[in-house]
Amino acid sequence: MELSKKTKAALWWQRLKGKDHFSDQPMALSNQGQSPGRFLIILPERSIESDLARHFVHTMRNALGPMGVNQMRIIGPAPIGNLLDLSDYHDFILYSEKDLNRWGLPGKELIWSCQRIQVDAVLDLNQSFSPVSATLCQTVTAKMKIGFYSKDGEPYYNIMVKRKGEELAESVFKEIFQILGI
């Protein structure tokens, strides 16, 4: 998907005026022998990816055990979030078009909400580059920021997973679990 010049300029300005919110500590798969404990999952923006996102969230919750609901925060577009059953989750943010500014990027209130989120890892489930998700990922302070490979995503993620050919996304999700040590 080709980004418009307006969106590219807005992303450039966002990166210029804001600092990268990677943690000051070096990236690691574990904190003093323990795997990351808190996760932010950014839901995909396209509805055709919602089934895979639902499967990923459910699998991750099961892998984390009974306290998995408390370890996961979820953010995403309201239409996608409504397709998933988020009634068990305590921390989730669903945004709509009203929460985006005139350039199509997150507005001040949404960015302010994301700046307060404290997690160890951010997982962006968008299979292709999404300016909104990348901006939200940049806003959250975390040691690990994982997303799917795209040339536009390099400034936003410190780990990028690449799909080979027509590989199913589910196998890529297994790779993400291996990276996280789950």
Side-chain angles (χ1 to χ4, degrees), residues 11-69:
L11 286 171
W12 175 81
W13 180 252
Q14 188 82 17
R15 281 193 313 263
L16 184 67
K17 75 175 187 151
K19 65 176 185 166
D20 288 332
H21 284 85
F22 290 110
S23 176
D24 293 338
Q25 299 176 357
M27 182 186 73
L29 292 180
S30 65
N31 236 356
Q32 301 161 347
Q34 297 178 357
S35 61
R38 298 168 298 169
F39 304 93
L40 173 66
I41 298 174
I42 300 176
L43 298 176
E45 292 183 5
R46 298 180 353 182
S47 60
I48 58 174
E49 297 173 2
S50 65
D51 287 336
L52 289 172
R54 181 178 332 143
H55 177 67
F56 179 82
V57 169
H58 182 71
T59 304
M60 186 166 179
R61 177 181 168 190
N62 288 341
L64 292 173
M67 297 304 291
V69 173

Side-chain angles (χ1 to χ4, degrees), residues 4-5 12 29 55 57 66 70 73 89 108 120 122 152 177 180:
S4 68
K5 290 181 182 181
W12 175 81
L29 292 180
H55 177 67
V57 169
N70 297 332
R73 281 93 177 122
Y89 296 92
K108 291 179 184 179
D120 299 322
V122 177
D152 295 322
F177 285 147
L180 294 173

Side-chain angles (χ1 to χ4, degrees), residues 56 123 146 148 161 172-181:
F56 179 82
L123 311 168
I146 302 172
F148 286 91
V161 180
V172 176
F173 291 158
K174 289 178 186 176
E175 188 175 335
I176 292 172
F177 285 147
Q178 288 176 344
I179 291 170
L180 294 173

